[in-house]
Amino acid sequence: MTDTIKIKLNVPREILEITEALQNKGFLAYLVGGCVRDSLIGREPKDWDITTNATPEQIIPLFAKTVYENKFGTVTVINEKTEDNKLKNVEVTPFRTEANYSDRRHPDEIKFSDKLEDDLSRRDFTINALAYNPEAGELIDLYGGIRDIKDKVIGTVGEADKRFTEDALRMLRAIRFACELRFMCNKEVLDSISRNNALIKEISAERIRDEFVKIIDSPEPMNGLILAHQTGLLNHILPELEKGIGMEQKGEHVYDIWEHTVRALQHAADRGYPLHVKLATLLHDLGKVKTRRPGLKGKEFTFYGHEVVGERIAIDFMARLKFPNKLADLVVKMVRNHMFFADPDKITLSAVRRVIVNVGPENIWDLMNLRICDRIGMGRPKEEPYRLRKYESMIEEALRAPTSVGMLKIDGKQIMTVTHETPGPKVGHILNALLEEALNNPDINTVEYLEKRAIELAKLDEKALKELADKGKSKKEEVEKGEIKKIRTKYRVK
Ligand code: ATP
Ligand code: MG
C-alpha cells in the first residue's frame, strides 16, 4: 500500500491487548473509523473499533468473553477487568465489502473480505476511512482523510451522488460530522445533498432521529440547522421550523421565528444544557407560525395560544421520529409551559407553584434555562435582567418547605397519644409552642424531647399555653420573612 504514514497514536492498553491477540495468531488488525479520526484530531474517541481479516469463528476463541452479532459479523469483546465503558465492549468486525444498495438503506448482502481496502472503500467519509495498525505505528489513508482532517472538510469516499444514493442517511451524517467536529462539507457533498435530499424519506425514523439528535446536541446546532435547511434536508425532518423563515415577530423580537429558534438553540449548546432542554428550545415557538395575528395598539403581532399549538407540533415531531416516551413527554411539557414567564409584576407565587406542579419540580430549572435561551434568541444581552432574577427568586421561594409545625418531629396525633388530649385547639397550641422552641434551638427537635415537653405544656392553664402558642406563631412569621429575604437578596430582587 502506498498511502501509509508512520505515526504514533495513543491507544489504551486494553485495546492493544486485543489487536495483539489477533496479530499473534497471524491476523491483520487495525483500529478504524471514528477512533482513528478522533485521535488524529485530538478528541477523545467515543469507542474503539477494530477491523481484521479474521472471521468471527477465528476471532471468538481468542478472547475469554465475547458476544456475536450475526447481522454484521461483529464480535464484541467483553473486557470485564475495566470500569471504563469505552473499553469494556470493543467491537471487532471482519473486513467487509458491501454489495448493492437496492433500497438505499441496507446493503443487499454483507460479504466478508480479506482486504482492508474493501473495508475502507465502503465507509462514508474520507475522515472515517482511516485505519491504524498500532503494532507497526502505521496509518492507512487511501482516500485523503488526513488532508481533509487538516482542512477540516467532510468529503465522501468516492462520488458523493453514488454514496448518498446507496445510503441516504449519509447525507444527514455529513452535516452531523460537520457540526460535531466544526468542519465544513465540501461543495460536492453540499450539491449532492441538494440534489438527493428527498431520498432521506426512505430512511427509518430511528436512524434519522439518532443523527438529527447528534446535530442538535453538537457544539454547532445553529450551523447544522442552517445547512440542513439550505440543502433541503430539513424540509423532510422538521418542516414546521422552516415555515418560520421570514415570519417577522416584531415587538420584543428582532429576529423572525426561524432565526429566533436557531439562535436560542445555539445558546443552549453554548451553555451545555442537556438534550431535553435543547429539544424543547428547538420546538418551543413553532406554534407561532399558525397563531400569528395582527395586534392592536402598537403591537404588530400577537401569538396567543402558541404554546398550545406548539405542544401539538412537539407531540407530533417526537412521535414521528420515535423518540422514547419519557423524553417526548418531558419536552412536550416544557414547550406547553414555556410561557409562564409573564410580567413579573403580575405573576403570583401561586401561578409559579402551578407551573412547578405542571412540569414537575425536578424540571423547573430546566424550564427556566429554556426561558434564558428564549431571551438570548430575541437578541438580548447576556446579563440576567431583573425580571429573570425575579422568576428565579420566585421559583426558589415556591420550592422551599415553608416554616411550619410540619417541621417538627412530632405531630398532633402523637401529642394526643402522649397527653391523652382529645382533638381541639389545645393540640394546635401545643404544636405552636413547641415550634417556637424548635425555631430558637433546632437541637431540641427530637421525638424524645418533644414528647416530654408536650406533656409538660398540656399541664399549663389555657391562658399561659395560648401565650406560648402565639409567641410560636409570630416567631414562625419572623423566620419565614427572614428566609424569603435571604432568597431575594441572593437574586438581588425586591
Ligand atoms: P462517533 O464517534 O460519533 O460514534 P463514528 O465515526 O464512530 O463517530 P459511527 O456511526 O459509530 O460513527 O460509525 C462508525 C464507522 O462506521 C464510521 O466512522 C464509518 O467509517 C462507518 N459508517 C457508519 N455508518 C456508515 C454509513 N451509513 N455508511 C458508510 N459507513 C458508515
Ligand atoms: Mg462510533
Side-chain angles (χ1 to χ4, degrees), residues 275-346:
L275 178 65
H276 59 271
V277 175
K278 292 175 180 165
L279 287 168
T281 305
L282 173 70
L283 301 168
H284 80 285
D285 266 357
L286 300 192
K288 282 187 163 180
V289 173
K290 281 199 180 147
T291 53
R292 192 173 79 148
R293 304 271 180 279
L296 299 168
K297 285 193 233 138
K299 255 201 169 179
E300 268 173 88
F301 298 109
T302 63
F303 302 92
Y304 294 126
H306 78 266
E307 69 276 26
V308 181
V309 176
E311 177 186 32
R312 293 286 347 149
I313 294 172
I315 290 173
D316 202 62
F317 171 75
M318 299 300 280
R320 229 156 58 207
L321 287 200
K322 301 205 161 77
F323 277 93
N325 288 338
K326 215 175 134 200
L327 177 59
D329 290 348
L330 176 53
V331 168
V332 166
K333 257 196 298 203
M334 291 179 69
V335 172
R336 177 70 172 85
N337 288 287
H338 83 271
M339 283 304 290
F340 92 84
F341 305 96
D343 190 340
D345 295 328
K346 287 186 200 138

Coordinates of all heavy atoms in Angstrom, one line a residue, residues 275-346:
L275 N -29.9 17.5 26.6 CA -30.6 17.4 25.3 C -32.1 17.8 25.4 O -32.6 18.4 24.5 CB -30.5 15.9 24.9 CG -31.3 15.6 23.6 CD1 -30.7 16.3 22.4 CD2 -31.3 14.0 23.3
H276 N -32.8 17.4 26.5 CA -34.2 17.8 26.6 C -34.4 19.3 26.5 O -35.4 19.7 26.0 CB -34.9 17.1 27.7 CG -34.4 17.4 29.1 ND1 -33.3 16.7 29.7 CD2 -34.7 18.4 29.9 CE1 -33.1 17.3 30.9 NE2 -33.9 18.3 31.0
V277 N -33.5 20.0 27.1 CA -33.7 21.5 27.1 C -33.4 22.0 25.6 O -34.1 22.8 25.1 CB -32.7 22.2 28.0 CG1 -32.7 23.7 27.9 CG2 -33.0 21.8 29.5
K278 N -32.5 21.4 25.0 CA -32.2 21.7 23.6 C -33.4 21.4 22.7 O -33.8 22.2 21.8 CB -31.0 21.0 23.0 CG -29.7 21.5 23.7 CD -28.5 20.7 23.3 CE -27.2 21.2 23.9 NZ -26.1 20.2 23.8
L279 N -34.0 20.2 22.9 CA -35.1 19.9 22.0 C -36.3 20.8 22.3 O -37.0 21.2 21.4 CB -35.5 18.4 22.3 CG -34.5 17.4 21.7 CD1 -34.8 16.0 22.2 CD2 -34.6 17.4 20.1
A280 N -36.5 21.1 23.6 CA -37.6 22.0 23.9 C -37.4 23.4 23.3 O -38.3 24.0 22.8 CB -37.8 22.1 25.4
T281 N -36.1 23.8 23.3 CA -35.8 25.1 22.8 C -36.1 25.1 21.2 O -36.6 26.0 20.7 CB -34.3 25.5 23.0 OG1 -34.1 25.4 24.4 CG2 -34.0 26.8 22.5
L282 N -35.7 24.0 20.6 CA -35.9 23.8 19.2 C -37.4 24.0 18.8 O -37.8 24.5 17.8 CB -35.4 22.5 18.7 CG -35.7 22.0 17.3 CD1 -34.9 22.9 16.3 CD2 -35.4 20.6 17.1
L283 N -38.3 23.4 19.7 CA -39.7 23.3 19.4 C -40.6 24.4 20.0 O -41.7 24.5 19.7 CB -40.2 21.9 19.8 CG -39.5 20.7 19.2 CD1 -39.8 19.4 19.9 CD2 -39.8 20.6 17.7
H284 N -40.0 25.2 21.0 CA -40.9 25.9 21.8 C -41.7 27.0 21.1 O -42.9 27.2 21.6 CB -40.0 26.6 22.9 CG -39.3 27.9 22.5 ND1 -38.2 27.9 21.8 CD2 -39.6 29.2 22.7 CE1 -37.8 29.1 21.5 NE2 -38.6 29.9 22.1
D285 N -41.3 27.5 20.0 CA -42.0 28.6 19.4 C -42.7 28.2 18.1 O -43.2 29.1 17.3 CB -41.2 29.9 19.2 CG -41.3 30.8 20.4 OD1 -42.1 30.6 21.3 OD2 -40.6 31.9 20.3
L286 N -42.6 26.9 17.7 CA -43.1 26.6 16.4 C -44.6 26.8 16.2 O -45.1 26.9 15.1 CB -42.7 25.1 16.0 CG -41.2 24.9 16.0 CD1 -40.9 23.5 15.4 CD2 -40.4 26.0 15.3
G287 N -45.3 26.9 17.3 CA -46.7 27.2 17.3 C -47.0 28.6 16.9 O -48.2 28.9 16.6
K288 N -46.0 29.4 16.8 CA -46.2 30.8 16.5 C -46.6 31.0 15.0 O -47.3 32.0 14.7 CB -44.9 31.6 16.7 CG -44.8 32.0 18.2 CD -43.6 32.9 18.4 CE -43.6 33.6 19.7 NZ -42.5 34.5 19.9
V289 N -46.2 30.1 14.2 CA -46.4 30.2 12.7 C -48.0 30.3 12.5 O -48.4 31.1 11.8 CB -45.8 29.1 12.0 CG1 -46.2 29.1 10.5 CG2 -44.3 29.1 12.1
K290 N -48.7 29.4 13.2 CA -50.1 29.3 12.9 C -50.9 30.3 13.8 O -52.1 30.5 13.5 CB -50.6 27.9 13.2 CG -50.3 27.0 12.0 CD -51.1 25.7 12.1 CE -50.8 24.8 11.0 NZ -51.0 23.4 11.4
T291 N -50.3 30.8 14.8 CA -51.1 31.7 15.7 C -50.9 33.2 15.5 O -51.5 34.0 16.2 CB -50.9 31.3 17.2 OG1 -49.4 31.4 17.4 CG2 -51.3 29.9 17.5
R292 N -50.0 33.5 14.5 CA -49.7 34.9 14.4 C -50.9 35.7 13.8 O -51.5 35.3 12.8 CB -48.5 35.1 13.4 CG -47.9 36.5 13.4 CD -46.7 36.6 12.6 NE -47.0 36.6 11.1 CZ -46.2 37.3 10.3 NH1 -45.2 38.0 10.7 NH2 -46.6 37.3 9.0
R293 N -51.2 36.8 14.5 CA -52.3 37.6 14.1 C -51.9 39.1 14.2 O -51.0 39.4 15.1 CB -53.5 37.5 15.1 CG -54.0 36.1 15.3 CD -55.1 35.7 14.2 NE -55.6 34.4 14.4 CZ -55.0 33.3 14.0 NH1 -53.9 33.3 13.3 NH2 -55.5 32.1 14.2
P294 N -52.4 39.9 13.4 CA -52.1 41.4 13.6 C -52.6 41.8 15.0 O -53.7 41.4 15.4 CB -52.9 42.1 12.5 CG -53.4 41.0 11.6 CD -53.4 39.7 12.4
G295 N -51.8 42.6 15.7 CA -52.2 43.0 17.0 C -52.8 44.4 17.0 O -52.7 45.1 16.0
L296 N -53.3 44.8 18.1 CA -53.9 46.1 18.3 C -52.9 47.0 19.0 O -52.0 46.6 19.7 CB -55.2 46.0 19.1 CG -56.3 45.2 18.4 CD1 -57.4 44.9 19.5 CD2 -56.9 45.8 17.2
K297 N -53.2 48.3 18.9 CA -52.5 49.3 19.7 C -51.0 49.1 19.8 O -50.4 48.7 20.8 CB -53.0 49.3 21.2 CG -54.4 50.0 21.2 CD -54.8 50.3 22.7 CE -56.1 49.7 23.0 NZ -56.3 49.1 24.2
G298 N -50.3 49.4 18.7 CA -48.8 49.4 18.7 C -48.2 48.0 18.7 O -47.0 47.8 18.4
K299 N -49.0 46.9 19.0 CA -48.4 45.6 19.0 C -48.6 45.1 17.5 O -49.8 44.9 17.1 CB -49.2 44.7 19.9 CG -48.4 44.4 21.2 CD -49.0 43.1 21.8 CE -48.1 42.7 22.9 NZ -48.5 41.5 23.6
E300 N -47.5 44.8 16.8 CA -47.7 44.4 15.4 C -48.3 43.1 15.3 O -49.2 42.8 14.4 CB -46.4 44.6 14.7 CG -46.4 46.0 14.1 CD -45.1 46.3 13.4 OE1 -45.0 46.0 12.2 OE2 -44.2 46.8 14.1
F301 N -47.8 42.1 16.1 CA -48.4 40.8 16.0 C -48.7 40.2 17.4 O -48.0 40.6 18.4 CB -47.4 39.8 15.3 CG -47.0 40.3 13.9 CD1 -45.8 40.8 13.6 CD2 -48.0 40.1 12.9 CE1 -45.5 41.2 12.3 CE2 -47.7 40.5 11.6 CZ -46.4 41.0 11.3
T302 N -49.6 39.3 17.5 CA -49.8 38.5 18.7 C -49.7 37.1 18.3 O -49.8 36.7 17.1 CB -51.2 38.8 19.3 OG1 -52.2 38.3 18.3 CG2 -51.4 40.2 19.6
F303 N -49.4 36.3 19.3 CA -49.2 34.8 19.1 C -50.0 34.1 20.2 O -49.5 33.1 20.8 CB -47.7 34.5 19.1 CG -46.9 35.2 18.1 CD1 -46.3 36.4 18.5 CD2 -46.8 34.7 16.9 CE1 -45.5 37.1 17.5 CE2 -46.0 35.4 15.9 CZ -45.4 36.6 16.3
Y304 N -51.2 34.5 20.5 CA -51.9 33.9 21.6 C -52.1 32.4 21.4 O -52.5 32.0 20.3 CB -53.3 34.6 21.8 CG -53.2 36.0 22.2 CD1 -53.8 37.0 21.5 CD2 -52.4 36.4 23.3 CE1 -53.6 38.4 21.9 CE2 -52.3 37.7 23.7 CZ -52.9 38.7 23.0 OH -52.7 40.0 23.3
G305 N -51.8 31.7 22.4 CA -52.1 30.2 22.4 C -51.0 29.5 21.6 O -51.1 28.3 21.4
H306 N -49.9 30.2 21.3 CA -48.9 29.5 20.5 C -48.3 28.3 21.3 O -47.8 27.3 20.6 CB -47.8 30.4 20.0 CG -46.8 30.8 21.0 ND1 -46.8 31.9 21.7 CD2 -45.6 30.2 21.3 CE1 -45.8 32.0 22.5 NE2 -45.0 31.0 22.3
E307 N -48.3 28.4 22.6 CA -47.7 27.2 23.3 C -48.6 26.0 23.3 O -48.1 24.9 23.4 CB -47.4 27.6 24.8 CG -48.6 27.9 25.7 CD -49.2 29.3 25.6 OE1 -49.0 29.9 24.5 OE2 -49.8 29.8 26.5
V308 N -49.9 26.2 23.0 CA -50.8 25.1 22.9 C -50.7 24.4 21.5 O -50.6 23.2 21.4 CB -52.3 25.5 23.2 CG1 -53.2 24.4 23.1 CG2 -52.4 26.2 24.5
V309 N -50.6 25.3 20.5 CA -50.4 24.8 19.1 C -49.0 24.2 19.1 O -48.8 23.1 18.5 CB -50.5 25.9 18.1 CG1 -50.2 25.4 16.7 CG2 -51.9 26.5 18.1
G310 N -48.0 24.8 19.7 CA -46.7 24.3 19.8 C -46.6 22.9 20.5 O -45.8 22.1 20.1
E311 N -47.4 22.7 21.4 CA -47.5 21.4 22.1 C -47.8 20.4 21.1 O -47.2 19.3 21.1 CB -48.5 21.5 23.3 CG -48.7 20.2 24.0 CD -49.8 20.3 25.0 OE1 -50.8 21.0 24.8 OE2 -49.7 19.6 26.1
R312 N -48.8 20.6 20.3 CA -49.3 19.6 19.3 C -48.1 19.3 18.3 O -47.9 18.2 18.0 CB -50.4 20.2 18.4 CG -51.7 20.4 19.2 CD -52.5 19.2 19.5 NE -52.1 17.9 18.8 CZ -52.2 16.7 19.4 NH1 -52.7 16.6 20.6 NH2 -51.9 15.7 18.8
I313 N -47.4 20.4 17.9 CA -46.3 20.2 17.0 C -45.2 19.3 17.6 O -44.7 18.4 17.0 CB -45.8 21.5 16.5 CG1 -46.8 22.3 15.7 CG2 -44.5 21.4 15.7 CD1 -46.5 23.7 15.3
A314 N -45.0 19.6 18.9 CA -43.9 18.9 19.6 C -44.3 17.4 19.7 O -43.5 16.5 19.5 CB -43.7 19.5 21.0
I315 N -45.6 17.2 20.1 CA -46.1 15.8 20.2 C -45.9 15.1 18.9 O -45.3 14.0 18.8 CB -47.6 15.8 20.6 CG1 -47.7 16.3 22.1 CG2 -48.1 14.4 20.5 CD1 -49.2 16.4 22.5
D316 N -46.3 15.7 17.8 CA -46.2 15.1 16.5 C -44.8 14.8 16.1 O -44.5 13.7 15.6 CB -46.8 16.1 15.6 CG -47.3 15.5 14.3 OD1 -48.2 14.6 14.4 OD2 -46.7 15.8 13.2
F317 N -43.9 15.8 16.3 CA -42.5 15.6 15.9 C -41.8 14.5 16.7 O -41.1 13.6 16.2 CB -41.7 16.9 16.1 CG -40.2 16.8 16.0 CD1 -39.7 16.7 14.7 CD2 -39.4 16.8 17.1 CE1 -38.3 16.6 14.5 CE2 -38.0 16.7 16.9 CZ -37.5 16.6 15.7
M318 N -42.1 14.5 18.0 CA -41.4 13.5 18.9 C -41.9 12.1 18.5 O -41.2 11.1 18.6 CB -41.6 13.8 20.4 CG -41.1 15.1 20.9 SD -39.3 15.3 20.7 CE -38.7 14.4 22.1
A319 N -43.2 12.0 18.1 CA -43.7 10.7 17.7 C -43.2 10.3 16.4 O -42.9 9.1 16.1 CB -45.3 10.8 17.7
R320 N -43.2 11.3 15.4 CA -42.7 11.0 14.1 C -41.3 10.4 14.1 O -41.0 9.5 13.4 CB -42.7 12.3 13.3 CG -43.3 12.4 12.0 CD -43.7 13.8 11.6 NE -42.6 14.7 11.6 CZ -42.8 16.1 11.8 NH1 -44.0 16.5 12.1 NH2 -41.8 16.9 11.8
L321 N -40.5 11.0 14.9 CA -39.1 10.5 15.0 C -38.9 9.4 16.0 O -37.8 9.0 16.4 CB -38.1 11.6 15.2 CG -37.8 12.5 14.0 CD1 -36.5 13.3 14.2 CD2 -37.8 11.8 12.7
K322 N -40.0 8.9 16.6 CA -40.0 7.8 17.5 C -39.0 8.0 18.7 O -38.3 7.1 19.1 CB -39.6 6.5 16.8 CG -40.6 6.1 15.6 CD -40.5 4.6 15.4 CE -41.7 4.1 14.6 NZ -41.7 4.4 13.2
F323 N -39.1 9.2 19.3 CA -38.4 9.4 20.5 C -39.0 8.6 21.6 O -40.2 8.3 21.6 CB -38.4 10.9 20.9 CG -37.5 11.8 20.1 CD1 -37.8 12.4 19.0 CD2 -36.2 11.9 20.6 CE1 -36.9 13.2 18.3 CE2 -35.2 12.7 20.0 CZ -35.6 13.4 18.8
P324 N -38.2 8.1 22.6 CA -38.7 7.4 23.7 C -39.8 8.3 24.4 O -39.6 9.5 24.5 CB -37.5 7.1 24.6 CG -36.3 7.7 23.9 CD -36.7 8.3 22.6
N325 N -40.8 7.6 24.9 CA -41.9 8.3 25.5 C -41.5 9.3 26.6 O -42.0 10.4 26.7 CB -42.9 7.4 26.1 CG -43.7 6.7 25.0 OD1 -43.8 7.2 23.9 ND2 -44.2 5.5 25.3
K326 N -40.6 8.9 27.5 CA -40.2 9.7 28.6 C -39.6 11.0 28.2 O -40.0 12.1 28.7 CB -39.2 8.9 29.5 CG -39.4 9.1 31.0 CD -38.5 8.3 31.8 CE -37.8 9.1 32.8 NZ -36.6 8.6 33.4
L327 N -38.7 10.9 27.2 CA -38.1 12.2 26.7 C -39.1 13.0 26.0 O -39.2 14.2 26.2 CB -37.0 11.8 25.8 CG -36.2 13.0 25.1 CD1 -35.6 13.9 26.1 CD2 -35.1 12.4 24.1
A328 N -40.0 12.4 25.2 CA -41.0 13.1 24.5 C -41.9 13.8 25.5 O -42.2 15.0 25.3 CB -41.8 12.2 23.6
D329 N -42.4 13.1 26.5 CA -43.3 13.8 27.5 C -42.7 15.0 28.1 O -43.3 16.0 28.3 CB -43.7 12.8 28.6 CG -44.6 11.7 28.0 OD1 -45.1 11.8 26.9 OD2 -44.8 10.7 28.7
L330 N -41.4 14.9 28.5 CA -40.7 16.0 29.1 C -40.6 17.2 28.2 O -40.9 18.3 28.6 CB -39.4 15.5 29.6 CG -38.5 16.5 30.2 CD1 -39.1 17.2 31.4 CD2 -37.2 15.8 30.7
V331 N -40.2 16.9 27.0 CA -40.0 18.0 26.0 C -41.3 18.7 25.7 O -41.4 19.9 25.7 CB -39.4 17.5 24.7 CG1 -39.4 18.5 23.6 CG2 -37.9 17.0 25.0
V332 N -42.4 17.9 25.6 CA -43.7 18.4 25.3 C -44.2 19.3 26.5 O -44.7 20.4 26.3 CB -44.7 17.3 25.0 CG1 -46.1 17.8 25.0 CG2 -44.4 16.7 23.6
K333 N -44.0 18.8 27.7 CA -44.4 19.6 28.9 C -43.7 20.9 28.9 O -44.2 21.9 29.3 CB -44.0 18.8 30.1 CG -45.2 18.1 30.8 CD -44.9 17.6 32.2 CE -43.8 16.6 32.3 NZ -43.8 15.8 33.5
M334 N -42.4 20.9 28.6 CA -41.6 22.2 28.6 C -42.2 23.2 27.6 O -42.3 24.4 27.8 CB -40.1 21.9 28.4 CG -39.5 21.2 29.6 SD -37.8 20.8 29.4 CE -37.1 22.4 29.5
V335 N -42.5 22.6 26.4 CA -43.0 23.5 25.3 C -44.3 24.1 25.8 O -44.6 25.3 25.7 CB -43.2 22.7 24.0 CG1 -43.9 23.6 23.0 CG2 -41.8 22.3 23.5
R336 N -45.2 23.3 26.4 CA -46.5 23.7 26.8 C -46.4 24.8 27.9 O -47.3 25.6 28.0 CB -47.3 22.5 27.3 CG -48.6 22.7 27.9 CD -49.6 23.1 26.7 NE -50.9 23.2 27.2 CZ -51.5 24.3 27.7 NH1 -50.7 25.4 27.9 NH2 -52.7 24.3 28.1
N337 N -45.4 24.7 28.7 CA -45.4 25.6 29.9 C -44.4 26.7 29.7 O -44.2 27.5 30.7 CB -45.1 24.8 31.1 CG -46.2 23.9 31.5 OD1 -47.2 24.4 32.1 ND2 -46.2 22.6 31.3
H338 N -43.8 26.9 28.6 CA -42.7 27.9 28.5 C -43.2 29.3 28.6 O -42.4 30.2 28.8 CB -41.9 27.7 27.2 CG -42.4 28.3 26.0 ND1 -43.3 27.7 25.1 CD2 -42.2 29.6 25.4 CE1 -43.6 28.5 24.2 NE2 -43.0 29.7 24.3
M339 N -44.5 29.5 28.5 CA -45.0 30.9 28.6 C -45.3 31.4 30.0 O -45.8 32.5 30.1 CB -46.2 31.0 27.7 CG -45.9 31.1 26.3 SD -44.8 32.4 25.8 CE -45.9 33.8 26.1
F340 N -45.0 30.6 31.0 CA -45.4 31.1 32.3 C -44.7 32.3 32.8 O -45.1 33.1 33.6 CB -45.3 30.0 33.4 CG -44.0 29.9 34.1 CD1 -43.8 30.7 35.3 CD2 -43.0 29.0 33.8 CE1 -42.6 30.7 36.0 CE2 -41.8 29.0 34.5 CZ -41.6 29.8 35.6
F341 N -43.6 32.6 32.1 CA -42.8 33.8 32.5 C -43.4 35.0 31.9 O -43.0 35.6 31.0 CB -41.4 33.6 31.9 CG -40.7 32.3 32.4 CD1 -40.8 31.2 31.6 CD2 -40.2 32.3 33.6 CE1 -40.2 30.0 32.0 CE2 -39.6 31.1 34.1 CZ -39.6 30.0 33.2
A342 N -44.5 35.4 32.5 CA -45.2 36.6 32.1 C -44.6 37.8 32.8 O -43.5 37.7 33.3 CB -46.7 36.5 32.4
D343 N -45.3 38.8 32.9 CA -44.8 40.0 33.5 C -44.6 39.7 35.0 O -45.5 39.3 35.7 CB -46.0 41.1 33.4 CG -45.5 42.4 33.8 OD1 -44.5 42.5 34.6 OD2 -46.2 43.4 33.4
P344 N -43.3 40.0 35.5 CA -43.0 39.7 36.9 C -43.9 40.5 37.9 O -44.0 40.1 39.0 CB -41.5 40.0 37.0 CG -41.2 40.8 35.9 CD -42.2 40.6 34.8
D345 N -44.4 41.6 37.4 CA -45.3 42.4 38.4 C -46.6 41.7 38.6 O -47.3 41.9 39.6 CB -45.5 43.8 37.8 CG -44.2 44.6 37.8 OD1 -43.3 44.3 38.7 OD2 -44.0 45.4 36.9
K346 N -47.0 40.9 37.6 CA -48.3 40.3 37.6 C -48.3 38.9 38.1 O -49.2 38.4 38.7 CB -49.0 40.3 36.3 CG -49.4 41.7 35.9 CD -50.2 41.7 34.6 CE -50.3 43.1 33.9 NZ -50.0 43.0 32.5

